[in-house]
Amino acid sequence: EVQLVESGGGLVQPGRSLKFSCAASGFTFSDYAMAWVRQAPKKGLEWVATIIYDGSSTYYRDSVKGRFTISRDNAKSTLYLQMDSLRSEDTATYYCARHTGGYWYFDFWGPGTMVTVSS
Amino acid sequence: DVQMTQSPSNLAASPGESVSINCKASKSISKYLAWYQQKPGKANKLLIYSGSTLQSGTPSRFSGSGSGTDFTLTIRNLEPEDFGLYYCQQHNEYPPTFGAGTKLELK
């Protein structure tokens, strides 16, 4: 059974950093591109970043480029998101999601971890 | 970026009824549209991709149609577990973009 479990969210002040992770199990992690998708309170889903199966390429939405870094450790089947220079508009639930093959949609999602950026 | 517009924002229906949710893209996305279901306390669930292909495990009462810019998710013979939020997402081009969601509520 595919499982994705995020951890490491919390309350952080504007301008500070936070790094959280997603532990994957039930599939060969190193075979799949992975993504982070977020959802601000009472808002819709918003793709944040993607990393391909071996970590050699990454993609980011414009509003997080230069501030967020997606990475992975295939030996540990773990996905990460390092978030720097956080802003109030980054407040959201962050979901770890698996890309389906080489396509830009997501066949499995984690339950999400909440990040609140506030002073 | 491709803008995705979903309608209606809210929809009320009773078990056994059929409903349709629409999604319109700001430019042609060929057939490449996915539909997801979101329910409290559960992981988001992929229902349909490439416009009309059911993801493994999606009940046959769900169907997707459309191409180009206009797409529809139809749920026939609603079951109690079908109530929740539904999102469309184009997967034709980078970056992937989502609609604002449709809340399907019990009438």
Side-chain angles (χ1 to χ4, degrees):
Chain A
E1 179 192 5
V2 173
Q3 286 202 325
L4 300 169
V5 180
E6 305 90 345
S7 60
L11 174 64
V12 61
Q13 293 178 326
R16 302 297 291 267
S17 299
L18 188 67
K19 183 175 184 177
F20 48 79
S21 61
C22 169
S25 61
F27 66 102
T28 303
F29 182 71
S30 57
D31 283 349
Y32 289 85
M34 297 295 296
W36 291 100
V37 178
R38 69 185 179 185
Q39 185 170 32
K42 307 284 189 194
K43 300 291 186 182
L45 298 166
E46 181 177 82
W47 169 81
V48 175
T50 285
I51 185 167
I52 69 167
Y53 70 102
D54 63 355
S56 60
S57 291
T58 55
Y59 305 85
Y60 300 92
R61 69 178 301 102
D62 285 348
S63 61
V64 309
K65 278 180 187 173
R67 299 189 300 121
F68 288 13
T69 303
I70 188 172
S71 61
R72 64 192 297 158
D73 184 336
N74 284 346
K76 295 182 178 179
S77 296
T78 302
L79 178 72
Y80 302 98
L81 186 66
Q82 171 74 42
M83 304 190 297
D84 299 321
S85 303
L86 280 161
R87 306 168 181 167
S88 58
E89 55 264 37
D90 296 319
T91 294
T93 296
Y94 285 74
Y95 300 99
C96 167
R98 190 180 84 168
H99 276 267
T100 303
Y103 300 98
W104 285 95
Y105 62 93
F106 315 102
D107 59 356
F108 286 97
W109 298 63
T113 187
M114 181 68 197
V115 174
T116 302
V117 183
S118 175
S119 54
Chain B
D1 298 1
V2 180
Q3 306 303 311
M4 306 301 297
T5 303
Q6 265 184 258
S7 61
S9 300
N10 294 281
L11 186 55
S14 301
E17 293 183 344
S18 295
V19 296
S20 291
I21 298 169
N22 301 302
C23 187
K24 188 175 184 69
S26 61
K27 62 187 249 189
S28 176
I29 56 170
S30 185
K31 65 177 182 177
Y32 298 109
L33 188 89
W35 291 98
Y36 301 89
Q37 180 190 63
Q38 184 177 67
K39 300 184 72 172
K42 293 196 170 184
N44 297 333
K45 184 179 179 183
L46 172 67
L47 298 172
I48 289 170
Y49 60 93
S50 296
S52 60
T53 304
L54 265 61
Q55 172 70 353
S56 175
T58 300
S60 58
R61 62 182 180 273
F62 289 85
S63 64
S65 62
S67 65
T69 60
D70 294 288
F71 298 83
T72 300
L73 172 69
T74 299
I75 312 171
R76 292 184 169 80
N77 193 20
L78 278 166
E79 296 281 348
E81 61 265 29
D82 297 337
F83 294 92
L85 276 160
Y86 290 84
Y87 291 93
C88 63
Q89 179 233 322
Q90 65 84 15
H91 59 95
N92 183 61
E93 62 181 65
Y94 165 82
T97 46
F98 292 86
T102 294
K103 188 173 185 179
L104 176 59
E105 298 177 296
L106 186 62
K107 188 186 289 182

